[in-house]
Amino acid sequence: MATLGKPIVMVRPEQLGFGERSVSPSDFGWLMLAEGDSWFSFGSLLGNNLLNRLTFTRSTLVTNTARPSDTLAHVVDWWRDPAFATLIAGGRRGRRGWAFDAILLSGGGNDLIDAISDRRVDQQLLRRLSPGSDPASPADCIHPEAWAAFETYLRANFAMVSQLAAGSAQNGSTPIFVHTYDYPTPNDAPAAPGRGPWLLPALLAHRIPEPMHQPLADHLIERLAGVVRTLGLANVHVIDTLGTLTRAAAGAKGDSHDWLNEIHPNPQGYGKLASVWRAGIEGVIAP
């Protein structure tokens, strides 16, 4: 039987020991830092995110610098948003970094969405097929050279996060946790007016035949998982969540099974994912 956990307390960086709404890290058993995309973000769908479903055996404070739609390139752009890097390694004017028990990173998903976007027809990862084409496999829908470049980009940006922590006096040995997402269903299921869907328009713009929509979406998410599983970076641990959720029904326009919309789980889905995250994290950091 799983041990009941304590919900995390989540704060923005400015609440760490400063101001009227500040919290004291000394009041918690574990301190963690989270960065990444909308699966972690405060602003994601009125607080529906994975971090809000996390529990641990110890009281845990999570400082969250994640933002909706963040890509790995944004995460490692220390000049644009220095909070993440400053918390890990310190900064100018004598600012010191914090010592964390774990660094949680949700990255790669938005990068994949951007790479296949309907705004990038004839420019990026997916081939724009001729009308009436019948590709034999999902791989036939992908430019091999473009995927190779995309994979190089992913590995380089994950490595930058690893190197940032490795070079930090406070977090040189802090474990970094990354994940493999799960299988989305290409559906006309936006998050809100003007926010999605993402996969379905891209597949239509590239003239991918409808019977290939789900196999191609699965193939892409499996390729992304393959990159994450083989990063080979010091102190980077993979939370393998692929296959955890029940897929949304094909043709669903909104909440379906474990999915709230086309690419974001609902609270039930995030709860399932959070259980996998808890087991993976505590398996590394718990005494």
Side-chain angles (χ1 to χ4, degrees):
M1 180 182 296
T3 304
L4 291 177
K6 301 176 182 179
I8 68 166
V9 173
M10 189 159 53
V11 297
R12 296 298 296 180
E14 57 269 22
Q15 293 175 255
L16 266 183
F18 304 98
E20 295 180 359
R21 298 178 59 199
S22 67
V23 295
S24 174
S26 62
D27 293 337
F28 297 86
W30 281 327
L31 304 179
M32 299 184 187
L33 176 63
E35 173 64 294
D37 54 30
S38 56
W39 280 39
F40 274 9
S41 174
F42 267 100
S44 174
L45 307 173
L46 301 178
N48 177 51
N49 61 54
L50 194 154
L51 296 177
N52 279 331
R53 308 297 295 180
L54 273 178
T55 65
F56 292 106
T57 52
R58 293 189 186 183
S59 60
T60 302
L61 177 67
V62 176
T63 303
N64 189 5
T65 62
R67 297 178 184 276
S69 302
D70 249 3
T71 61
L72 283 168
H74 288 166
V75 168
V76 300
D77 185 355
W78 318 132
W79 291 104
R80 184 184 70 90
D81 185 3
F84 179 64
T86 299
L87 286 166
I88 291 176
R92 294 179 297 176
R93 299 180 181 176
R95 292 181 180 176
R96 298 185 60 189
W98 292 78
F100 294 99
D101 296 287
I103 297 169
L104 318 181
L105 179 62
S106 182
N110 279 335
D111 304 86
L112 180 60
I113 293 295
D114 282 357
I116 68 168
S117 169
D118 58 330
R119 301 184 302 275
R120 298 199 175 206
V121 175
D122 295 328
Q123 297 179 34
Q124 266 290 352
L125 211 56
L126 296 184
R127 298 181 185 275
R128 192 181 193 195
L129 302 182
S130 301
S133 294
D134 185 18
S137 71
D140 292 337
C141 304
I142 299 170
H143 288 288
E145 299 83 0
W147 178 269
F150 179 63
E151 180 171 336
T152 297
Y153 154 85
L154 289 175
R155 292 185 183 279
N157 282 279
F158 276 117
M160 287 182 69
V161 177
S162 175
Q163 291 162 8
L164 174 71
S168 161
Q170 295 87 355
N171 293 290
S173 61
T174 301
I176 300 169
F177 295 91
V178 298
H179 68 120
T180 57
Y181 295 90
D182 213 323
Y183 294 108
T185 302
N187 278 334
D188 185 14
R195 293 184 60 193
W198 297 265
L199 291 171
L200 183 60
L203 300 180
L204 293 175
H206 288 85
R207 299 175 181 155
I208 308 299
E210 192 280 330
M212 188 57 71
H213 284 187
Q214 190 64 64
L216 178 55
D218 289 356
H219 183 72
L220 288 167
I221 209 73
E222 286 167 357
R223 279 200 177 189
L224 174 61
V227 173
V228 172
R229 289 169 179 155
T230 59
L231 288 172
L233 297 169
N235 230 24
V236 172
H237 304 263
V238 179
I239 307 294
D240 203 336
T241 52
L242 202 61
T244 301
L245 305 181
T246 301
R247 296 175 185 270
K253 300 289 187 179
D255 198 325
S256 176
H257 300 306
D258 287 329
W259 294 82
L260 185 62
N261 53 59
E262 192 189 41
I263 63 170
H264 298 100
N266 58 24
Q268 171 182 286
Y270 277 132
K272 291 181 178 181
L273 295 167
S275 294
V276 181
W277 273 81
R278 174 183 171 181
I281 293 170
E282 293 196 343
V284 174
I285 71 172

